[in-house]
Amino acid sequence: ERRRQRRRERRSTHGVRLLGIVGWAVVAAAAITIGAASAPPLEALLGQSTGPVFLGSVVVMIGIAAVVGTWLGDPRGLLTAGTVAVVLLAASAAVDLSNLHLGSQHWRPASTSAADRTYELTGGRARLDLTRMPLEPGQRVEVGAEVGFGELTVLVPADARVQVRGRTSFGEIRVDETVRWGTGLELRRTLEPDE
């Protein structure tokens, strides 16, 4: 029993590092996927149409390497890589990962036509500054902004009448001096212009 364990330890410390071989195989699979798909690279690798196929092949390659690693080579790192690949595979099947926008955004539309859209951020901190928009008296502009998870700050002109509709699944909504915290929140409020 001890001899067999020593042999296994020697193999794992002196054998070929299988994670490196899998890494090169993943690079080759990525190149083939990008070449075969008529889409940008990120969409080809993580999009909903070809992403699950590519990531599924990565999971299979890691699984084969892990099985081979029980007899030959050094299997260290394969469990972590396999876990990451399985999580990405499940996520790409459920959500289009190529359309995720994460980080920090600062939107500053300078015209009403530029503001006439929904500003979106998947996760992070966003700031929508509407103070530079030229507005005529009585003009109505509708602006939408969404952050999946994180924080959204909206700055409005002091001389504008603003109708706010805020919604959150979980967290805090703060409009002027009103603060609400909890789950499934919805807040509607009208802010009158400063005199």
Side-chain angles (χ1 to χ4, degrees):
E1 184 66 40
R2 274 191 173 168
R3 220 181 274 158
R4 196 179 302 156
Q5 192 172 350
R6 268 195 230 120
R7 243 186 274 141
R8 217 179 278 142
E9 284 173 9
R10 226 181 284 130
R11 243 194 333 252
S12 68
T13 56
H14 298 296
V16 175
R17 189 88 187 253
L18 294 174
L19 188 60
I21 293 171
V22 170
W24 284 110
V26 168
V27 169
I32 292 167
T33 304
I34 291 168
S38 58
L42 187 63
E43 192 177 324
L45 298 178
L46 300 176
Q48 282 188 310
S49 57
T50 55
V53 175
F54 165 69
L55 292 167
S57 69
V58 171
V59 170
V60 169
M61 286 186 273
I62 292 171
I64 290 170
V67 170
V68 169
T70 59
W71 292 288
L72 305 166
D74 182 359
R76 287 180 295 171
L78 290 175
L79 181 63
T80 304
T83 303
V84 170
V86 167
V87 168
L88 283 173
L89 173 60
S92 74
V95 179
D96 189 0
L97 296 177
S98 63
N99 284 334
L100 295 183
H101 303 288
L102 303 171
S104 181
Q105 279 286 352
H106 192 157
W107 302 301
R108 192 180 289 154
S111 67
T112 54
S113 59
D116 188 22
R117 69 182 185 94
T118 300
Y119 296 89
E120 293 178 308
L121 182 68
T122 305
R125 300 180 90 175
R127 184 181 176 102
L128 176 59
D129 186 350
L130 303 173
T131 57
R132 290 189 180 179
M133 255 190 344
L135 297 171
E136 300 293 325
Q139 183 179 8
R140 184 180 173 91
V141 178
E142 200 166 313
V143 181
E146 296 177 10
V147 174
F149 61 92
E151 180 182 314
L152 171 64
T153 302
V154 181
L155 303 174
V156 295
D159 59 347
R161 183 172 191 258
V162 180
Q163 291 179 327
V164 180
R165 286 191 315 254
R167 209 171 46 234
T168 182
S169 299
F170 175 77
E172 176 185 276
I173 300 177
R174 184 185 301 255
V175 178
D176 204 20
E177 299 300 317
T178 305
V179 179
R180 290 186 59 200
W181 194 92
T183 59
L185 295 178
E186 190 160 338
L187 179 68
R188 290 174 183 259
R189 180 126 181 255
T190 300
L191 304 175
E192 297 297 337
D194 289 347
E195 294 299 324

